Amino acid sequence: MNPSGHERQGLRLFPFRGLRYVPERVGSLSAVTSPPYDVVVRPDGLDHLESADPHNIVRLILPRAGSPAARNAKAARTLREWLAEGVLAADPEPALYVYEQRDADILQRGLIGALELSPPSAGTVLPHEDVMDHVVADRAELMRATAAHLEPLLLTYRGDGARSGATAVLERVTARPPLLSTTTEDGFSHRLWAITDTAEQAEAQADLAGRQALIADGHHRWATYLRLQQEHGTPGPWDFGLVLLVDTARYSLRVRAIHRLLRRLPVAGAVAALDGLFRVRDVPGPLPRALEALAEAAGAGNAFLLAGDGAFRLVDRPDAGLLDRTVPAGRPAAWRALDATVLHSTLLDRVWGVPDAPEDVAYLHDAGAAVEHAERTGATAVLMHPVREDVVRELAGQGVMMPRKSTSFGPKPASGLVLRSLTLG
């Protein structure tokens, strides 16, 4: 996988020797998987995953110890031990991996490989959200310590819809027996195949060479890949990142919101500050019904749902003058109209005076968890409505970054099915 001498042209996806769990050494494959690290945010979630199997991948992606340095050292030590004990083993041949997720409503298939990194100026991989530097620094320290990519990030591209190229390869490969098959407790079945035939690899690679990808999930890990590549300077394994590439012309993704938990702001204070600036109405619960009211209001403009004191309040119809004063000008209209833009530029920065710092704002993917946490701690949960995928692509194509944690694409790949060691290339 030496990129030297090659001119960059679209997506360059390379095979690698995946690290995978040895089924005979673990309780079950489902018991060693985990959602991505940034979805597992609550201690009880960590407790649950750690208790599922002593070798659950969460012990690598979210190790627990008294300090960041101790956590990273623990992850590196654990990875070495699992390799020495045969819990994890490298596949004998470099492969591209076909990964399938399926539940009652959705089928998603894509290719996992080592993607050659390209600078942002190349426009080959488009981010659509800003990142938080402390998160990038944390992930970088973990990757340095383990010398591994422990979970793939999710990239999407738009194929031409034809049953050729990468699509044809996926369909042929998925007709064969898989390397592994498991069903996780969320109801998703997961299957993985290895493409070791060089002709099939080349067929898929040629199709991807003319494509451009959007980061659907994993902005912080992508930024981490680029940071570590710059640190190393010379060509080598750090020039590639572990990714899952999904053709959304063939396999549509879900787009969901990421909610905010304002740790130090009680609901009463949040509501009082909105007087005369937004319309605030009580809406009936339970949570699914309140989210329906949010969806209806979001169709007409900016709207948010506040929770945390046992009730639900719909916040919408912002004062136009307030938006003119607080939302930065000189950006596309689609960006200025985003709920996340108004939340951060208008509500957090100006109305509520809440710093976007970890001790003040937490980001949660699950609305129920956000409400429960807010009610338990006296905080305010700000529930969001999802952004349409076409808006995300439009802004990303213009090089415009959305506020961080604006979207949640899914289904996200399960962590623990295939890892990439940077010492194997």
Side-chain angles (χ1 to χ4, degrees), residues 6-263:
H6 292 284
E7 180 181 348
R8 294 191 191 279
Q9 187 178 17
L11 301 169
R12 292 171 53 82
L13 191 70
F14 289 84
F16 68 103
R17 291 178 60 200
L19 292 181
R20 295 190 296 110
Y21 281 99
V22 177
E24 296 78 15
R25 299 304 306 272
V26 298
S28 69
L29 289 175
S30 63
V32 295
T33 64
S34 165
Y37 79 97
D38 57 338
V39 178
V40 185
V41 294
R42 295 167 53 179
D44 56 345
L46 277 172
D47 293 339
H48 174 71
L49 291 165
E50 288 181 346
S51 64
D53 189 283
H55 301 107
N56 189 283
I57 191 66
V58 79
R59 296 180 185 273
L60 298 181
I61 63 174
L62 288 172
R64 292 204 266 192
S67 69
R71 289 195 295 270
N72 296 325
K74 183 177 181 180
R77 183 172 61 253
T78 300
L79 179 57
R80 289 193 301 269
E81 290 172 353
W82 289 359
L83 289 168
E85 296 166 0
V87 174
L88 289 169
D91 284 334
E93 297 179 78
L96 296 176
Y97 296 87
V98 176
Y99 176 47
E100 176 188 278
Q101 293 165 275
R102 184 195 294 264
D103 72 357
D105 302 316
I106 195 166
L107 168 65
Q108 179 174 289
R109 288 174 177 159
L111 281 171
I112 294 177
L115 184 70
E116 182 180 71
L117 304 180
S118 57
S121 59
T124 304
V125 175
L126 300 175
H128 67 269
E129 290 182 357
D130 287 329
V131 297
M132 293 174 276
D133 190 69
H134 75 278
V135 177
V136 176
D138 175 73
R139 291 293 100 184
E141 291 291 347
L142 180 63
M143 287 186 197
R144 289 189 198 99
T146 58
H149 294 156
L150 302 173
E151 46 187 348
L153 54 84
L154 175 61
L155 304 182
T156 70
Y157 69 97
R158 299 289 293 178
D160 54 19
R163 293 176 178 264
S164 59
T167 296
V169 173
L170 262 65
E171 292 189 353
R172 286 200 303 273
V173 171
T174 53
R176 305 168 189 164
L179 280 179
L180 64 85
S181 178
T182 190
T183 299
T184 46
E185 63 183 6
D186 59 4
F188 271 94
S189 66
H190 306 261
R191 297 197 294 171
L192 191 77
W193 294 259
I195 305 174
T196 56
D197 181 82
T198 56
E200 287 186 323
Q201 291 175 357
E203 185 179 352
Q205 289 170 320
D207 184 36
L208 295 172
R211 309 294 182 188
Q212 180 185 61
L214 174 76
I215 300 177
D217 185 70
H219 282 81
H220 289 91
R221 280 166 284 166
W222 180 256
T224 303
Y225 290 166
L226 295 178
R227 177 177 294 190
L228 295 177
Q229 180 193 38
Q230 290 179 338
E231 287 181 3
H232 285 79
T234 57
W238 298 94
D239 292 319
F240 304 85
L242 182 63
V243 305
L244 166 64
L245 274 166
V246 174
D247 176 4
T248 53
R250 188 78 177 154
Y251 302 105
S252 299
L253 273 70
R254 298 169 176 152
V255 186
R256 291 176 171 163
I258 301 178
H259 312 289
R260 276 63 169 166
L261 179 74
L262 310 185
R263 300 181 188 272

